[in-house]
Amino acid sequence: MTRPPFHGPIWTPPPRNLCPILSIVIIYTHKDCINHLVPSGHPERPDRLKVLLNHLKEAGFLADHRLVPSQQIPTDLIRRAHHPNYFESLERQLPTTGLKSLDTDTWLSPISLSAAKYAAGAVWRGTLDVVSGVEKRVFCAVRPPGHHAETTYPMGFCMLNSVAISAINALTLDKIDKVVILDFDVHHGNGTVDICRNNPKILVCSSFQHP
């Protein structure tokens, strides 16, 4: 049986009072996340975040959903997830001008580590907001991403594993005994698995297409 053609919008939001998930969402972001530069044509480029934020503005979403600048994650929280000397090793490779290749996919520009700390800080602030009950849901509009960054290695566009950092530090909070991470992407969340694999209080579920 042939399915009839579909006409009209793919999804039309119901009235706010009939759709609780559309209630106010706080959105963390930072301008440094846009200023993290990569080579021309790179798939993980500033346009990804620019397009998202512009769409949210043009669609009217930001009219009643707060856009809040994130804060940088403290270095001591990074050290609880990554190797204690990992961030310092990245700092030593940070260029003062131009771009520095960490591998074929992962690049540093002068602002990249600042952007990575703001991205990880957004995830941590969002975690604290939800755990404390200040917010019910948080969205982090940030880059660079993090789930490929391993304990001692940056890779796959990623420098700091924002989710793993927040998961491990969340276990220090009074209300948190265990953490579940749901990772979905085209690629396996190898970094998150690497960092959390020996922690019996963290379950990582990764849904991916490749490899």
Side-chain angles (χ1 to χ4, degrees), residues 101-177:
S101 172
L102 298 177
D103 60 29
T104 56
D105 296 320
T106 314
W107 294 77
L108 287 175
S109 66
I111 210 74
S112 295
L113 293 185
S114 175
K117 291 187 77 173
Y118 278 118
V123 178
W124 178 236
R125 183 70 257 172
T127 300
L128 294 177
D129 286 348
V130 173
V131 171
S132 67
V134 172
E135 303 290 343
K136 291 185 177 180
R137 53 190 63 82
V138 174
F139 182 78
C140 298
V142 294
R143 57 180 291 277
H147 79 157
H148 292 308
E150 297 187 342
T151 306
T152 56
Y153 294 104
M155 65 178 70
F157 319 153
C158 305
M159 284 151 267
L160 296 180
N161 197 311
S162 304
V163 169
I165 292 170
S166 286
I168 287 174
N169 283 284
L171 292 171
T172 66
L173 304 177
D174 290 339
K175 297 181 180 180
I176 303 299
D177 297 318

Side-chain angles (χ1 to χ4, degrees), residues 45-94:
R45 54 187 180 270
D47 287 344
R48 295 180 68 238
L49 186 52
K50 289 179 181 178
V51 169
L52 170 63
L53 294 176
N54 287 337
H55 175 72
L56 293 178
K57 181 179 180 180
E58 292 172 1
F61 191 81
L62 299 182
D64 57 0
H65 296 78
R66 289 185 293 150
L67 195 63
V68 179
S70 64
Q71 297 179 347
Q72 290 193 341
I73 189 107
T75 304
D76 61 309
L77 300 192
I78 297 173
R79 292 193 181 109
R80 291 177 182 172
H82 290 282
H83 186 278
N85 298 326
Y86 172 71
F87 188 75
E88 287 74 11
S89 72
L90 292 178
E91 287 183 311
R92 288 194 294 270
Q93 301 179 72
L94 191 69

Side-chain angles (χ1 to χ4, degrees), residues 147-148 183 185-191 193 206-211:
H147 79 157
H148 292 308
D183 179 292
D185 187 49
V186 173
H187 301 115
H188 177 237
N190 61 288
V193 171
S206 181
S207 174
F208 56 94
Q209 182 179 350
H210 178 82

Side-chain angles (χ1 to χ4, degrees), residues 3-64:
R3 182 174 295 177
F6 181 83
H7 299 287
I10 294 176
W11 181 69
T12 301
R16 181 65 54 84
N17 60 350
L18 297 181
C19 189
I21 200 169
L22 287 180
S23 59
I24 302 301
V25 177
I26 187 171
I27 304 169
Y28 282 112
T29 189
H30 196 276
K31 60 181 178 61
D32 279 7
C33 294
I34 292 177
N35 294 330
H36 159 55
L37 301 180
V38 292
S40 177
H42 193 283
E44 204 297 293
R45 54 187 180 270
D47 287 344
R48 295 180 68 238
L49 186 52
K50 289 179 181 178
V51 169
L52 170 63
L53 294 176
N54 287 337
H55 175 72
L56 293 178
K57 181 179 180 180
E58 292 172 1
F61 191 81
L62 299 182
D64 57 0

